[in-house]
Amino acid sequence: MVPTVTQQLRSMRRRFCDTILPALPADAEFAREQANLMLATFDWLLDTHEHEYRYQVVENHEYRALLAALSALTGGDRSQVETCLAEPGPARDEASVPLADLAGQNRRLKEHATSLASALLDGPGPSAARTLLANAARAQGDRELAYYRSTGFPQNAAPLGSNLDTARHG
């Protein structure tokens, strides 16, 4: 299983508390102050990370509505406002599913797909199943390589955002 960002942050926070904080000398006041600020940052990241995308979706819709309403109240050239409002945006319901729930659902989907694929590959005429699995595996591999590219492995992975185009993968 590939750890989520939240699991990574939780692990880093635990190691920080168990290993680094106790190793700081008692008289290193500035270092302790900085370490406590880092701990507060870990806590903040853990508290907010899973809601970041949903936060941005809600804010996007609220500001689109506000801009449209304000624009309707004003006269004059509204071409810049109309251009801004015409930009693609997220669907309103994209903010309805928490990240942890979505990740759990994705795990269940993968488990069911694996089970169905195994049954199909063991049966007659597996070529359609092989093609579907090869395409899914390629897309998943590309996403995972991009996801971990900033760790130094692998060296030549594409940026993560380039692998998340729903027109290609959804």
Side-chain angles (χ1 to χ4, degrees), residues 119-170:
L120 286 170
L121 291 174
D122 289 341
S127 62
R130 287 187 198 287
T131 301
L132 288 170
L133 288 171
N135 291 338
R138 188 175 302 109
Q140 179 69 37
D142 288 348
R143 280 192 304 276
E144 287 186 11
L145 290 173
Y147 193 83
Y148 288 104
R149 79 186 190 122
S150 65
T151 64
F153 174 80
Q155 297 294 321
N156 297 321
L160 180 58
S162 69
N163 290 297
L164 300 176
D165 178 8
T166 57
R168 286 188 328 143
H169 299 289

Side-chain angles (χ1 to χ4, degrees), residues 16 19-28 31-33 35-36:
F16 188 79
T19 307
I20 296 171
L21 283 177
L24 293 175
D27 62 343
R32 288 192 164 281
E33 177 184 315
N36 283 323

Side-chain angles (χ1 to χ4, degrees), residues 25-80:
D27 62 343
E29 292 178 24
F30 182 71
R32 288 192 164 281
E33 177 184 315
Q34 295 303 303
N36 283 323
L37 288 172
M38 290 175 68
L39 185 58
T41 300
F42 276 127
D43 290 340
W44 173 76
L45 287 168
L46 285 165
D47 188 48
T48 61
H49 165 70
E50 290 203 4
H51 306 287
E52 177 72 18
Y53 184 77
R54 293 170 58 217
Y55 179 101
Q56 295 296 336
V57 170
V58 168
E59 192 168 82
N60 183 282
H61 281 275
E62 287 178 358
Y63 276 94
R64 281 176 180 271
L66 176 63
L67 183 57
L70 290 172
S71 177
L73 297 175
T74 63
D77 183 19
R78 295 192 298 221
S79 61
Q80 288 182 332

Side-chain angles (χ1 to χ4, degrees), residues 83-126:
T83 299
C84 187
L85 289 173
E87 292 175 5
R92 181 173 293 283
D93 63 352
E94 285 185 50
S96 65
V97 181
L99 182 60
D101 293 351
L102 185 59
Q105 184 182 83
N106 286 347
R107 276 191 300 278
R108 290 188 302 279
L109 290 167
K110 289 175 187 178
E111 289 168 5
H112 291 304
T114 300
S115 176
L116 288 175
S118 294
L120 286 170
L121 291 174
D122 289 341

